[in-house]
PDB file of all heavy atoms in Angstrom:
ATOM      1  N   VAL A  48       2.343 -62.823 -24.287  1.00 91.00           N
ATOM      2  CA  VAL A  48       1.342 -61.894 -24.805  1.00 91.00           C
ATOM      3  C   VAL A  48       0.045 -62.690 -24.909  1.00 91.00           C
ATOM      4  O   VAL A  48      -0.052 -63.641 -25.674  1.00 91.00           O
ATOM      5  CB  VAL A  48       1.746 -61.331 -26.185  1.00 91.00           C
ATOM      6  CG1 VAL A  48       0.635 -60.472 -26.753  1.00 91.00           C
ATOM      7  CG2 VAL A  48       3.039 -60.555 -26.078  1.00 91.00           C
ATOM      8  N   CYS A  49      -0.937 -62.317 -24.118  1.00 96.00           N
ATOM      9  CA  CYS A  49      -2.200 -63.042 -24.076  1.00 96.00           C
ATOM     10  C   CYS A  49      -3.301 -62.180 -24.680  1.00 96.00           C
ATOM     11  O   CYS A  49      -3.356 -60.978 -24.452  1.00 96.00           O
ATOM     12  CB  CYS A  49      -2.542 -63.412 -22.636  1.00 96.00           C
ATOM     13  SG  CYS A  49      -1.354 -64.572 -21.937  1.00 96.00           S
ATOM     14  N   ARG A  50      -4.142 -62.820 -25.450  1.00 97.00           N
ATOM     15  CA  ARG A  50      -5.272 -62.127 -26.058  1.00 97.00           C
ATOM     16  C   ARG A  50      -6.451 -62.131 -25.094  1.00 97.00           C
ATOM     17  O   ARG A  50      -6.444 -62.837 -24.091  1.00 97.00           O
ATOM     18  CB  ARG A  50      -5.649 -62.809 -27.367  1.00 97.00           C
ATOM     19  CG  ARG A  50      -4.534 -62.643 -28.418  1.00 97.00           C
ATOM     20  CD  ARG A  50      -4.724 -63.538 -29.592  1.00 97.00           C
ATOM     21  NE  ARG A  50      -4.492 -64.914 -29.135  1.00 97.00           N
ATOM     22  CZ  ARG A  50      -4.915 -65.995 -29.752  1.00 97.00           C
ATOM     23  NH1 ARG A  50      -5.607 -65.898 -30.852  1.00 97.00           N
ATOM     24  NH2 ARG A  50      -4.654 -67.191 -29.277  1.00 97.00           N
ATOM     25  N   LEU A  51      -7.475 -61.354 -25.417  1.00 98.00           N
ATOM     26  CA  LEU A  51      -8.668 -61.244 -24.593  1.00 98.00           C
ATOM     27  C   LEU A  51      -9.885 -61.687 -25.390  1.00 98.00           C
ATOM     28  O   LEU A  51     -10.063 -61.285 -26.536  1.00 98.00           O
ATOM     29  CB  LEU A  51      -8.862 -59.799 -24.119  1.00 98.00           C
ATOM     30  CG  LEU A  51     -10.118 -59.495 -23.314  1.00 98.00           C
ATOM     31  CD1 LEU A  51     -10.105 -60.241 -21.981  1.00 98.00           C
ATOM     32  CD2 LEU A  51     -10.261 -57.996 -23.098  1.00 98.00           C
ATOM     33  N   HIS A  52     -10.708 -62.511 -24.781  1.00 98.00           N
ATOM     34  CA  HIS A  52     -11.984 -62.929 -25.372  1.00 98.00           C
ATOM     35  C   HIS A  52     -13.094 -62.525 -24.408  1.00 98.00           C
ATOM     36  O   HIS A  52     -12.951 -62.676 -23.199  1.00 98.00           O
ATOM     37  CB  HIS A  52     -12.015 -64.440 -25.584  1.00 98.00           C
ATOM     38  CG  HIS A  52     -13.305 -64.926 -26.170  1.00 98.00           C
ATOM     39  ND1 HIS A  52     -13.589 -64.818 -27.509  1.00 98.00           N
ATOM     40  CD2 HIS A  52     -14.394 -65.479 -25.596  1.00 98.00           C
ATOM     41  CE1 HIS A  52     -14.797 -65.311 -27.732  1.00 98.00           C
ATOM     42  NE2 HIS A  52     -15.304 -65.704 -26.589  1.00 98.00           N
ATOM     43  N   ILE A  53     -14.200 -62.017 -24.943  1.00 98.00           N
ATOM     44  CA  ILE A  53     -15.344 -61.652 -24.122  1.00 98.00           C
ATOM     45  C   ILE A  53     -16.437 -62.675 -24.359  1.00 98.00           C
ATOM     46  O   ILE A  53     -16.878 -62.860 -25.493  1.00 98.00           O
ATOM     47  CB  ILE A  53     -15.842 -60.239 -24.461  1.00 98.00           C
ATOM     48  CG1 ILE A  53     -14.714 -59.225 -24.271  1.00 98.00           C
ATOM     49  CG2 ILE A  53     -17.057 -59.880 -23.607  1.00 98.00           C
ATOM     50  CD1 ILE A  53     -14.974 -57.889 -24.909  1.00 98.00           C
ATOM     51  N   ALA A  54     -16.854 -63.360 -23.310  1.00 98.00           N
ATOM     52  CA  ALA A  54     -17.882 -64.401 -23.402  1.00 98.00           C
ATOM     53  C   ALA A  54     -19.176 -63.868 -22.784  1.00 98.00           C
ATOM     54  O   ALA A  54     -19.249 -63.631 -21.581  1.00 98.00           O
ATOM     55  CB  ALA A  54     -17.424 -65.664 -22.679  1.00 98.00           C
ATOM     56  N   LEU A  55     -20.188 -63.679 -23.621  1.00 98.00           N
ATOM     57  CA  LEU A  55     -21.485 -63.195 -23.148  1.00 98.00           C
ATOM     58  C   LEU A  55     -22.412 -64.380 -22.906  1.00 98.00           C
ATOM     59  O   LEU A  55     -22.609 -65.201 -23.797  1.00 98.00           O
ATOM     60  CB  LEU A  55     -22.109 -62.245 -24.178  1.00 98.00           C
ATOM     61  CG  LEU A  55     -21.278 -61.022 -24.573  1.00 98.00           C
ATOM     62  CD1 LEU A  55     -22.044 -60.182 -25.577  1.00 98.00           C
ATOM     63  CD2 LEU A  55     -20.877 -60.208 -23.365  1.00 98.00           C
ATOM     64  N   HIS A  56     -22.976 -64.439 -21.724  1.00 98.00           N
ATOM     65  CA  HIS A  56     -23.916 -65.510 -21.399  1.00 98.00           C
ATOM     66  C   HIS A  56     -25.242 -65.298 -22.115  1.00 98.00           C
ATOM     67  O   HIS A  56     -25.554 -64.194 -22.582  1.00 98.00           O
ATOM     68  CB  HIS A  56     -24.138 -65.605 -19.886  1.00 98.00           C
ATOM     69  CG  HIS A  56     -24.713 -64.371 -19.270  1.00 98.00           C
ATOM     70  ND1 HIS A  56     -26.015 -63.978 -19.463  1.00 98.00           N
ATOM     71  CD2 HIS A  56     -24.149 -63.436 -18.474  1.00 98.00           C
ATOM     72  CE1 HIS A  56     -26.249 -62.861 -18.797  1.00 98.00           C
ATOM     73  NE2 HIS A  56     -25.118 -62.497 -18.197  1.00 98.00           N
ATOM     74  N   GLY A  57     -26.029 -66.325 -22.188  1.00 98.00           N
ATOM     75  CA  GLY A  57     -27.360 -66.223 -22.761  1.00 98.00           C
ATOM     76  C   GLY A  57     -28.371 -65.758 -21.731  1.00 98.00           C
ATOM     77  O   GLY A  57     -28.050 -65.557 -20.551  1.00 98.00           O
ATOM     78  N   CYS A  58     -29.592 -65.590 -22.178  1.00 98.00           N
ATOM     79  CA  CYS A  58     -30.672 -65.240 -21.253  1.00 98.00           C
ATOM     80  C   CYS A  58     -30.825 -66.351 -20.211  1.00 98.00           C
ATOM     81  O   CYS A  58     -30.640 -67.531 -20.512  1.00 98.00           O
ATOM     82  CB  CYS A  58     -31.982 -65.071 -22.019  1.00 98.00           C
ATOM     83  SG  CYS A  58     -31.943 -63.714 -23.212  1.00 98.00           S
ATOM     84  N   VAL A  59     -31.118 -65.985 -19.000  1.00 98.00           N
ATOM     85  CA  VAL A  59     -31.303 -66.885 -17.856  1.00 98.00           C
ATOM     86  C   VAL A  59     -30.017 -67.684 -17.575  1.00 98.00           C
ATOM     87  O   VAL A  59     -30.059 -68.772 -17.030  1.00 98.00           O
ATOM     88  CB  VAL A  59     -32.517 -67.824 -18.055  1.00 98.00           C
ATOM     89  CG1 VAL A  59     -32.934 -68.456 -16.744  1.00 98.00           C
ATOM     90  CG2 VAL A  59     -33.711 -67.104 -18.649  1.00 98.00           C
ATOM     91  N   MET A  60     -28.867 -67.136 -17.975  1.00 98.00           N
ATOM     92  CA  MET A  60     -27.589 -67.814 -17.740  1.00 98.00           C
ATOM     93  C   MET A  60     -26.610 -66.945 -16.953  1.00 98.00           C
ATOM     94  O   MET A  60     -25.432 -67.256 -16.858  1.00 98.00           O
ATOM     95  CB  MET A  60     -26.963 -68.235 -19.066  1.00 98.00           C
ATOM     96  CG  MET A  60     -27.763 -69.305 -19.781  1.00 98.00           C
ATOM     97  SD  MET A  60     -27.012 -69.818 -21.332  1.00 98.00           S
ATOM     98  CE  MET A  60     -25.576 -70.700 -20.745  1.00 98.00           C
ATOM     99  N   SER A  61     -27.092 -65.854 -16.377  1.00 98.00           N
ATOM    100  CA  SER A  61     -26.233 -64.989 -15.569  1.00 98.00           C
ATOM    101  C   SER A  61     -26.010 -65.631 -14.203  1.00 98.00           C
ATOM    102  O   SER A  61     -26.672 -66.600 -13.830  1.00 98.00           O
ATOM    103  CB  SER A  61     -26.879 -63.613 -15.403  1.00 98.00           C
ATOM    104  OG  SER A  61     -28.069 -63.725 -14.636  1.00 98.00           O
ATOM    105  N   ARG A  62     -25.104 -65.053 -13.446  1.00 98.00           N
ATOM    106  CA  ARG A  62     -24.821 -65.582 -12.101  1.00 98.00           C
ATOM    107  C   ARG A  62     -26.059 -65.524 -11.226  1.00 98.00           C
ATOM    108  O   ARG A  62     -26.230 -66.347 -10.329  1.00 98.00           O
ATOM    109  CB  ARG A  62     -23.648 -64.854 -11.459  1.00 98.00           C
ATOM    110  CG  ARG A  62     -23.938 -63.445 -11.006  1.00 98.00           C
ATOM    111  CD  ARG A  62     -22.679 -62.778 -10.442  1.00 98.00           C
ATOM    112  NE  ARG A  62     -23.014 -61.509  -9.848  1.00 98.00           N
ATOM    113  CZ  ARG A  62     -23.200 -61.308  -8.551  1.00 98.00           C
ATOM    114  NH1 ARG A  62     -23.077 -62.304  -7.702  1.00 98.00           N
ATOM    115  NH2 ARG A  62     -23.502 -60.122  -8.090  1.00 98.00           N
ATOM    116  N   GLU A  63     -26.940 -64.581 -11.497  1.00 97.00           N
ATOM    117  CA  GLU A  63     -28.188 -64.441 -10.751  1.00 97.00           C
ATOM    118  C   GLU A  63     -29.045 -65.711 -10.863  1.00 97.00           C
ATOM    119  O   GLU A  63     -29.707 -66.110  -9.911  1.00 97.00           O
ATOM    120  CB  GLU A  63     -28.949 -63.239 -11.308  1.00 97.00           C
ATOM    121  CG  GLU A  63     -30.321 -63.018 -10.744  1.00 97.00           C
ATOM    122  CD  GLU A  63     -31.018 -61.849 -11.422  1.00 97.00           C
ATOM    123  OE1 GLU A  63     -30.540 -61.343 -12.468  1.00 97.00           O
ATOM    124  OE2 GLU A  63     -32.059 -61.441 -10.890  1.00 97.00           O
ATOM    125  N   PHE A  64     -28.998 -66.357 -12.020  1.00 98.00           N
ATOM    126  CA  PHE A  64     -29.817 -67.546 -12.265  1.00 98.00           C
ATOM    127  C   PHE A  64     -29.062 -68.856 -12.048  1.00 98.00           C
ATOM    128  O   PHE A  64     -29.631 -69.804 -11.516  1.00 98.00           O
ATOM    129  CB  PHE A  64     -30.389 -67.524 -13.685  1.00 98.00           C
ATOM    130  CG  PHE A  64     -31.503 -66.538 -13.866  1.00 98.00           C
ATOM    131  CD1 PHE A  64     -31.244 -65.242 -14.290  1.00 98.00           C
ATOM    132  CD2 PHE A  64     -32.816 -66.887 -13.600  1.00 98.00           C
ATOM    133  CE1 PHE A  64     -32.274 -64.323 -14.448  1.00 98.00           C
ATOM    134  CE2 PHE A  64     -33.850 -65.980 -13.754  1.00 98.00           C
ATOM    135  CZ  PHE A  64     -33.574 -64.689 -14.177  1.00 98.00           C
ATOM    136  N   ILE A  65     -27.794 -68.922 -12.505  1.00 98.00           N
ATOM    137  CA  ILE A  65     -27.089 -70.212 -12.450  1.00 98.00           C
ATOM    138  C   ILE A  65     -25.722 -70.135 -11.774  1.00 98.00           C
ATOM    139  O   ILE A  65     -24.911 -71.047 -11.904  1.00 98.00           O
ATOM    140  CB  ILE A  65     -26.957 -70.842 -13.853  1.00 98.00           C
ATOM    141  CG1 ILE A  65     -26.119 -69.965 -14.783  1.00 98.00           C
ATOM    142  CG2 ILE A  65     -28.328 -71.131 -14.452  1.00 98.00           C
ATOM    143  CD1 ILE A  65     -25.753 -70.646 -16.102  1.00 98.00           C
ATOM    144  N   GLY A  66     -25.466 -69.060 -11.047  1.00 98.00           N
ATOM    145  CA  GLY A  66     -24.189 -68.940 -10.354  1.00 98.00           C
ATOM    146  C   GLY A  66     -23.026 -68.911 -11.340  1.00 98.00           C
ATOM    147  O   GLY A  66     -23.062 -68.203 -12.333  1.00 98.00           O
ATOM    148  N   THR A  67     -22.010 -69.723 -11.095  1.00 98.00           N
ATOM    149  CA  THR A  67     -20.821 -69.740 -11.961  1.00 98.00           C
ATOM    150  C   THR A  67     -20.839 -70.897 -12.964  1.00 98.00           C
ATOM    151  O   THR A  67     -19.817 -71.194 -13.575  1.00 98.00           O
ATOM    152  CB  THR A  67     -19.544 -69.822 -11.104  1.00 98.00           C
ATOM    153  OG1 THR A  67     -19.599 -71.016 -10.324  1.00 98.00           O
ATOM    154  CG2 THR A  67     -19.376 -68.608 -10.223  1.00 98.00           C
ATOM    155  N   THR A  68     -21.970 -71.530 -13.163  1.00 98.00           N
ATOM    156  CA  THR A  68     -22.044 -72.681 -14.068  1.00 98.00           C
ATOM    157  C   THR A  68     -21.578 -72.323 -15.477  1.00 98.00           C
ATOM    158  O   THR A  68     -20.790 -73.067 -16.076  1.00 98.00           O
ATOM    159  CB  THR A  68     -23.471 -73.262 -14.101  1.00 98.00           C
ATOM    160  OG1 THR A  68     -23.814 -73.675 -12.778  1.00 98.00           O
ATOM    161  CG2 THR A  68     -23.561 -74.448 -15.032  1.00 98.00           C
ATOM    162  N   PHE A  69     -22.039 -71.218 -16.025  1.00 98.00           N
ATOM    163  CA  PHE A  69     -21.607 -70.821 -17.372  1.00 98.00           C
ATOM    164  C   PHE A  69     -20.107 -70.577 -17.406  1.00 98.00           C
ATOM    165  O   PHE A  69     -19.406 -71.055 -18.306  1.00 98.00           O
ATOM    166  CB  PHE A  69     -22.372 -69.576 -17.837  1.00 98.00           C
ATOM    167  CG  PHE A  69     -21.942 -69.076 -19.183  1.00 98.00           C
ATOM    168  CD1 PHE A  69     -22.324 -69.734 -20.348  1.00 98.00           C
ATOM    169  CD2 PHE A  69     -21.152 -67.942 -19.308  1.00 98.00           C
ATOM    170  CE1 PHE A  69     -21.918 -69.281 -21.602  1.00 98.00           C
ATOM    171  CE2 PHE A  69     -20.756 -67.477 -20.551  1.00 98.00           C
ATOM    172  CZ  PHE A  69     -21.134 -68.149 -21.697  1.00 98.00           C
ATOM    173  N   VAL A  70     -19.601 -69.869 -16.434  1.00 98.00           N
ATOM    174  CA  VAL A  70     -18.173 -69.538 -16.376  1.00 98.00           C
ATOM    175  C   VAL A  70     -17.335 -70.820 -16.277  1.00 98.00           C
ATOM    176  O   VAL A  70     -16.304 -70.944 -16.942  1.00 98.00           O
ATOM    177  CB  VAL A  70     -17.887 -68.605 -15.181  1.00 98.00           C
ATOM    178  CG1 VAL A  70     -16.397 -68.378 -14.990  1.00 98.00           C
ATOM    179  CG2 VAL A  70     -18.620 -67.281 -15.355  1.00 98.00           C
ATOM    180  N   ARG A  71     -17.761 -71.763 -15.487  1.00 98.00           N
ATOM    181  CA  ARG A  71     -16.974 -72.973 -15.251  1.00 98.00           C
ATOM    182  C   ARG A  71     -17.150 -74.047 -16.324  1.00 98.00           C
ATOM    183  O   ARG A  71     -16.229 -74.826 -16.555  1.00 98.00           O
ATOM    184  CB  ARG A  71     -17.316 -73.571 -13.885  1.00 98.00           C
ATOM    185  CG  ARG A  71     -16.843 -72.716 -12.712  1.00 98.00           C
ATOM    186  CD  ARG A  71     -17.154 -73.322 -11.352  1.00 98.00           C
ATOM    187  NE  ARG A  71     -18.596 -73.396 -11.128  1.00 98.00           N
ATOM    188  CZ  ARG A  71     -19.273 -74.533 -10.968  1.00 98.00           C
ATOM    189  NH1 ARG A  71     -18.664 -75.688 -10.995  1.00 98.00           N
ATOM    190  NH2 ARG A  71     -20.582 -74.505 -10.779  1.00 98.00           N
ATOM    191  N   HIS A  72     -18.310 -74.090 -16.990  1.00 98.00           N
ATOM    192  CA  HIS A  72     -18.593 -75.237 -17.844  1.00 98.00           C
ATOM    193  C   HIS A  72     -18.892 -74.926 -19.309  1.00 98.00           C
ATOM    194  O   HIS A  72     -19.217 -75.843 -20.068  1.00 98.00           O
ATOM    195  CB  HIS A  72     -19.760 -76.039 -17.254  1.00 98.00           C
ATOM    196  CG  HIS A  72     -19.468 -76.589 -15.905  1.00 98.00           C
ATOM    197  ND1 HIS A  72     -18.520 -77.564 -15.683  1.00 98.00           N
ATOM    198  CD2 HIS A  72     -19.968 -76.271 -14.688  1.00 98.00           C
ATOM    199  CE1 HIS A  72     -18.461 -77.840 -14.392  1.00 98.00           C
ATOM    200  NE2 HIS A  72     -19.333 -77.060 -13.767  1.00 98.00           N
ATOM    201  N   ALA A  73     -18.811 -73.684 -19.735  1.00 98.00           N
ATOM    202  CA  ALA A  73     -19.099 -73.356 -21.144  1.00 98.00           C
ATOM    203  C   ALA A  73     -17.989 -73.809 -22.087  1.00 98.00           C
ATOM    204  O   ALA A  73     -18.189 -73.881 -23.285  1.00 98.00           O
ATOM    205  CB  ALA A  73     -19.341 -71.860 -21.304  1.00 98.00           C
TER     206      ALA A  73
END
Side-chain angles (χ1 to χ4, degrees):
V48 175
C49 295
R50 293 167 291 160
L51 176 65
H52 179 79
I53 302 165
L55 303 181
H56 61 72
C58 297
V59 196
M60 293 181 70
S61 66
R62 73 183 188 99
E63 175 183 11
F64 286 92
I65 63 170
T67 59
T68 300
F69 178 75
V70 173
R71 291 181 295 117
H72 298 293

